[in-house]
Amino acid sequence: METARPVSLASPETVRVTNPGGSSPFVLTCDHASNFLPPEFGTLGLAAGELSRHIAWDPGALPVARRMAEALDATLVETRISRLVIDCNRPLDAPDLVPPVSETTAIPGNTGLSEKQRAARIALSWQPFHDAVASIIDKRLARGLETRLVSIHSFTPVYKGMSRPWHIGIIHDEDRRLAAPLVAALQRLAGVTVGINEPYSPADRVYFTLERHARPRGLPCAMIEIRNDEISDEAGQRKWADLLTGIFVGIHTPELLMSPDSLPRRGRPIPAHPIR
């Protein structure tokens, strides 16, 4: 865990924007960057060791996102409060916005919240995060800058007893302008198993940040999920960040200039594997 942290609910530093004037067309988000709980929350009734698990954050995702942002000269927006307090990648009406259970673990401190307590959590982390993303994008568009939104996440090798074979997953909806070249480049790599809308898809309500900020503005977008045992140390983080950076630098396809509505589709709602 990083050393510089918001110290309380009163701190304004619950979202961090790095390189807001980045020259890259890519804007990166890391929606589950931190497992930090402000002191006011204690441990939400969990044993301290539970906070290092995926239920509290996306391990390894932030170092990958930071290295990519630096290499690309891209803007990065990251959360600084644990997803256990509030999940910034969920709509406000989602049942797991403030999760009473994460995976199979009950979160005692998230049960029986009043509307006032729920609103305080939204104001603490969810609203500042989405305000920051919206502000960055709107300022770029006002300057006429090409903008592509990508969210960086990690996932567990085993979920509820089921093994997950994918090293990396690309999540997308019917707009495939960014996902299609990403998948194609990854599938050319020897020894890499690529999930297409695996281990999650937009139907799992995990696509909210992109749905909120990219789709209404017509921006190419995609969600990247890296299996967290692949990025559990610096070497793995460097490997995947550099690999993805190289792919991003090489993405200059004509499709990115097209309207998402002009691209071929394979039906609605989004099928499990629409771009195999």
Side-chain angles (χ1 to χ4, degrees):
M1 294 188 290
E2 60 180 340
T3 55
R5 300 290 186 144
V7 295
S8 73
L9 293 179
S11 172
E13 299 176 0
T14 59
V15 59
R16 174 182 285 165
V17 178
T18 302
N19 194 22
S23 65
S24 171
F26 291 99
V27 173
L28 308 181
T29 70
C30 196
D31 308 42
H32 302 142
S34 177
N35 60 354
F36 175 67
L37 295 179
E40 291 88 339
F41 294 104
T43 64
L44 291 173
L46 298 170
E50 300 278 28
L51 301 181
S52 64
R53 294 176 51 209
H54 182 263
I55 63 170
W57 61 337
D58 281 358
L62 181 58
V64 171
R66 285 181 171 173
R67 186 175 178 91
M68 290 177 65
E70 182 176 4
L72 292 165
D73 191 26
T75 300
L76 170 63
V77 185
E78 67 187 70
T79 57
R80 303 188 71 208
I81 299 291
S82 171
R83 66 197 299 174
L84 292 174
V85 173
I86 190 165
D87 193 328
C88 290
N89 192 33
R90 298 292 186 273
L92 290 176
D93 60 354
D96 55 350
L97 175 71
V98 179
V101 177
S102 185
E103 297 181 13
T104 59
T105 302
I107 316 299
N110 286 351
T111 60
L113 297 183
S114 68
E115 286 302 314
K116 183 177 181 181
Q117 289 172 316
R118 186 180 179 89
R121 295 194 188 196
I122 293 169
L124 168 69
S125 183
W126 191 98
Q127 197 66 57
F129 174 73
H130 288 289
D131 286 350
V133 176
S135 176
I136 290 293
I137 292 174
D138 289 343
K139 288 177 181 176
R140 290 181 60 87
L141 296 182
R143 295 168 57 199
L145 298 177
E146 181 185 0
T147 301
R148 311 167 187 174
L149 188 61
V150 178
S151 57
I152 309 294
H153 294 256
S154 69
F155 67 95
T156 57
V158 178
Y159 181 71
K160 295 184 178 179
M162 298 293 293
S163 293
R164 291 157 146 182
W166 313 283
H167 299 101
I168 188 169
I170 303 301
I171 316 304
H172 70 94
D173 59 10
E174 63 267 26
D175 181 357
R176 304 179 299 111
R177 290 174 294 172
L178 189 51
L182 264 174
V183 168
L186 288 164
Q187 288 181 328
R188 288 193 289 268
L189 299 175
V192 174
T193 302
V194 184
I196 304 171
N197 279 338
E198 298 284 5
Y200 307 107
S201 83
D204 299 312
R205 302 190 313 273
V206 301
Y207 208 66
F208 175 70
T209 295
L210 301 179
E211 289 172 343
R212 180 179 177 90
H213 298 287
R215 297 313 310 279
R217 297 171 173 87
L219 304 180
C221 61
M223 179 176 175
I224 295 176
E225 289 272 2
I226 307 170
R227 203 175 67 200
N228 64 29
D229 61 339
E230 289 283 313
I231 51 175
S232 61
D233 59 20
E234 185 178 354
Q237 293 156 9
R238 182 172 60 252
K239 166 193 164 183
W240 279 102
D242 293 353
L243 188 157
L244 288 166
T245 296
I247 292 173
F248 278 26
V249 168
I251 292 179
H252 296 292
T253 61
E255 288 81 3
L256 286 173
L257 303 178
M258 298 169 63
S259 162
D261 292 331
S262 67
L263 293 174
R265 294 176 181 166
R266 298 194 180 181
R268 293 172 181 264
I270 302 304
H273 303 290
I275 58 173
R276 279 200 190 279

